[in-house]
Amino acid sequence: MIIDNIMHKDLHTLSPDHTIQDAMKMMKDYRIRHIPIVGESRDLKGILSDRDIKEITPQTNEGNHFMNIPLKEIMTPNPITGHPLDFVEDAAIIFYEQKIGALPIVRNGKLCGMITETDVLYKYIELTGANRPSSQLELRVPDVPGSLYEVSKILFKHKVNVLSVLVYPDYELNNKILAIRINTMNPLPVIDTLKAEGIDVLWPADPRAK
């Protein structure tokens, strides 16, 4: 999936000459934590976060002169950016490695969108089907071609639909783990057949075995 499919396009922006007061009002009014700072031609100048404001906010209420400080003095200039055609997975890596909370999206030098850590996390939840009535299976299978096919035949036999499939290695046994989410709230019949076919079911543990 590309960033263009999930990014926010109707953005609230400010200029470098706007003040902290302007930013605080915008964050409160629109309940946002990050504001892109742009020039007159919508070229990206920087990004401002609520953390930037907190770091400069006085510890006491004595005086409000800091409210008139221009954003160009506290914003992060030349921020890391993405492109609308970048993959969402690439954005996730940037969030993890750079420890940032928002990623401005730029096309042809102009700001065209923005995504946040929360956007990426929700899209992951949505793609895995975890927000839908379902059950998750974790299966250990040989790391050979056709392993997923054998499992899919069993799922087809039980007429259960697959919402998502994740594959990760089982380094200790040179196998692989299939994390499969299926659209049934009672996976026991499927589990019985998987075990009968010699497939190692790691999750869920069978309550009948207790």
Side-chain angles (χ1 to χ4, degrees), residues 13 41 50 68-69 92 96 100 109 148 151 186 192 195:
T13 65
S41 59
D50 57 350
N68 295 319
I69 294 176
Y96 176 76
I100 58 177
L148 180 57
V151 172
N186 179 21
D192 287 340
K195 289 182 175 179

Side-chain angles (χ1 to χ4, degrees), residues 122-164:
Y122 180 76
K123 183 52 61 175
Y124 169 79
I125 293 172
E126 191 177 60
L127 289 175
T128 59
N131 61 336
R132 300 167 62 182
S134 58
S135 299
Q136 179 158 316
L137 306 175
E138 289 202 3
L139 315 175
R140 179 184 285 123
V141 298
D143 190 10
V144 296
S147 294
L148 180 57
Y149 173 68
E150 295 301 321
V151 172
S152 67
K153 287 195 302 183
I154 295 172
L155 300 178
F156 177 76
K157 177 181 178 180
H158 285 272
K159 294 182 172 57
V160 295
N161 193 29
V162 176
L163 300 180
S164 66

Side-chain angles (χ1 to χ4, degrees), residues 84-98:
L85 298 183
D86 290 342
F87 289 109
V88 174
E89 297 93 322
D90 297 329
I93 293 173
I94 291 174
F95 283 126
Y96 176 76
E97 292 182 343
Q98 302 298 325

